[in-house]
Amino acid sequence: MEVPCVRVPPEEGEATRQVLAEADLIADDFEITVAEDWLYVPVTDPEAVPDDLEVVSKDVPERETQTTPADLLEFEPSYERLGDVVLLDEDDPERARELADAVVASDLPVETVLNKASKVKGETRVREWELLAGEDTETVHREYGCEFALDLAEVYFSPRLATERNRVAEQVADGERAFDMFAGVGPFVIPFATRGADCVGVDVNETAITYLRENARRNGVTDRVTAINDDVRAVAPDYADWADRIVMNLPHSADDFLESAVTIAGDDCILHYYDIQHEDDPFGPGEDAIRSVAEPEYEVTVATRRTVRSYAPHELNVCLDVCLER
Ligand code: SAM
């Protein structure tokens, strides 16, 4: 049946699919189809498709109905997807078991079901997981065209931050120098490097750095990624005056690392500072902390104050994009 489709080269397929999915534009009743070296993504509303994407009319097959976990349960379940893993956040063990069984019985392409068994904790921000289905906690996750291998039992990773990471990555220019002070497996570093940035990623978690190196290989950017396993405070003097851009995604304690950020910053530097604060004043404490360390050496201008997500009742996860000019 002929339907409106976005037509892109196959290598741009995943990134395009994500853009369209976030805008809720994918026509789920039809198959995404490859033909004549193009990928066709059926869309519900061709008028709403961003101008930089081409819309054509294409004969694509109708999709056979897939069984979802909700079809098998008497409630609408809440879960996250990470590669071939489904992540649950269920306190009730019986409900968690019921949900895991429904996920496995559904048509979702899933190998593993994990339930959160603790909060993220300690220096490495890793959480404990209960394995409800499958064999291990390692997976490969795709996000905006990049591929990330990771083991959830060993490293921090949150698929919920994908849109935020992409917002930052879209600001990165070819040839700039970007430093991620708390890099994890590379969800900022790898997309920055694919846009041509020369990147340094530091993490105290040795396993995260091993995955960051593997992810640089997987995404073809080893020549633009330096991965360092250390405390970033020890590394900062080696990169004094180096960075055009710094990412600090260690909410709760990023302020303890601002002296190091100022050491790493070049003459003109953008700082992406993540924080978790009370909703009454989510941006003030971070801005005050940055000014107290960076001024008067730098002129400090807050370019963006952005709420990333709600973190807990009355607490917000926020990002400040800050221009530092020496
Ligand atoms: N940037 C990654 C992301 O967005 O997924 C990881 C963020 S995670 C919240 C914070 C990371 O900082 C963890 O991987 C942890 O191991 C690392 N970390 C904590 N203290 C550190 C330190 N002093 N120096 C370097 N890395 C540190």
Side-chain angles (χ1 to χ4, degrees):
M1 181 177 171
E2 290 237 339
V3 293
C5 292
V6 167
R7 184 171 86 157
V8 287
E11 60 275 16
E12 292 170 22
E14 179 54 19
T16 305
R17 191 196 64 74
Q18 290 202 24
V19 167
L20 295 171
E22 274 179 23
D24 206 14
L25 282 172
I26 295 183
D28 290 327
D29 296 345
F30 298 92
E31 295 283 1
I32 295 175
T33 303
V34 177
E36 305 111 26
D37 294 334
W38 291 98
L39 188 106
Y40 295 86
V41 185
V43 289
T44 49
D45 180 2
E47 302 293 321
V49 169
D51 288 345
D52 57 335
L53 294 172
E54 183 191 14
V55 180
V56 297
S57 183
K58 177 76 182 162
D59 192 3
V60 292
E62 284 188 45
R63 174 171 281 189
E64 288 182 22
T65 315
Q66 305 263 307
T67 304
T68 68
D71 295 333
L72 303 167
L73 295 162
E74 285 172 9
F75 54 90
E76 188 62 47
S78 158
Y79 56 85
E80 291 173 82
R81 300 272 300 276
L82 183 80
D84 60 3
V85 180
V86 159
L87 308 175
L88 309 181
D89 185 6
E90 292 293 338
D91 292 334
D92 176 351
E94 271 181 39
R95 190 174 149 110
R97 181 75 266 158
E98 189 185 2
L99 222 167
D101 291 344
V103 167
V104 170
S106 76
D107 289 326
L108 289 182
V110 167
E111 293 293 327
T112 304
V113 182
L114 301 174
N115 193 21
K116 290 180 184 172
S118 78
K119 292 187 180 302
V120 291
K121 56 185 183 178
E123 193 178 36
T124 58
R125 316 307 292 149
V126 178
R127 82 166 79 237
E128 289 168 23
W129 296 94
E130 182 189 7
L131 186 69
L132 292 174
E135 297 195 342
D136 63 31
T137 45
E138 192 175 34
T139 191
V140 177
H141 176 65
R142 283 174 192 77
E143 187 173 292
Y144 287 94
C146 296
E147 205 174 273
F148 300 98
L150 61 114
D151 185 340
L152 276 169
E154 303 281 343
V155 301
Y156 173 91
F157 193 93
S158 173
R160 282 192 201 168
L161 300 178
T163 310
E164 169 59 16
R165 289 191 278 257
N166 187 53
R167 179 189 74 85
V168 174
E170 283 185 333
Q171 299 172 34
V172 173
D174 188 13
E176 73 172 47
R177 292 168 160 186
F179 195 110
D180 189 343
M181 295 175 66
F182 313 105
V185 303
F188 287 100
V189 165
I190 300 296
F192 288 9
T194 62
R195 294 175 70 90
D198 194 5
C199 300
V200 175
V202 180
D203 206 291
V204 278
N205 182 341
E206 188 179 354
T207 309
I209 289 296
T210 302
Y211 277 112
L212 172 52
R213 292 194 181 116
E214 178 181 340
N215 292 330
R217 275 192 297 278
R218 280 176 175 271
N219 293 279
V221 290
T222 42
D223 54 335
R224 289 198 288 281
V225 172
T226 302
I228 302 172
N229 174 216
D230 206 339
D231 186 314
V232 70
R233 287 168 291 206
V235 176
D238 298 340
Y239 285 89
D241 292 333
W242 186 84
D244 303 315
R245 185 180 304 278
I246 298 174
V247 178
M248 298 182 75
N249 184 17
L250 186 64
H252 291 304
S253 48
D255 54 338
D256 293 340
F257 295 83
L258 279 167
E259 301 270 0
S260 297
V262 168
T263 300
I264 295 163
D267 287 347
D268 288 287
C269 182
I270 312 272
L271 176 65
H272 303 281
Y273 180 90
Y274 290 89
D275 205 358
I276 289 174
Q277 294 291 345
H278 194 275
E279 63 188 4
D280 286 350
D281 184 16
F283 302 106
E287 182 173 342
D288 291 349
I290 294 165
R291 287 190 186 282
S292 74
V293 176
E295 290 176 340
E297 182 184 353
Y298 284 94
E299 191 176 311
V300 174
T301 312
V302 179
T304 313
R305 295 175 179 84
R306 183 178 152 77
T307 299
V308 178
R309 59 175 170 159
S310 166
Y311 180 75
H314 309 296
E315 280 195 295
L316 299 176
N317 183 189
V318 297
C319 182
L320 291 159
D321 295 344
V322 179
C323 305
L324 302 177
E325 287 173 89
R326 193 178 261 135

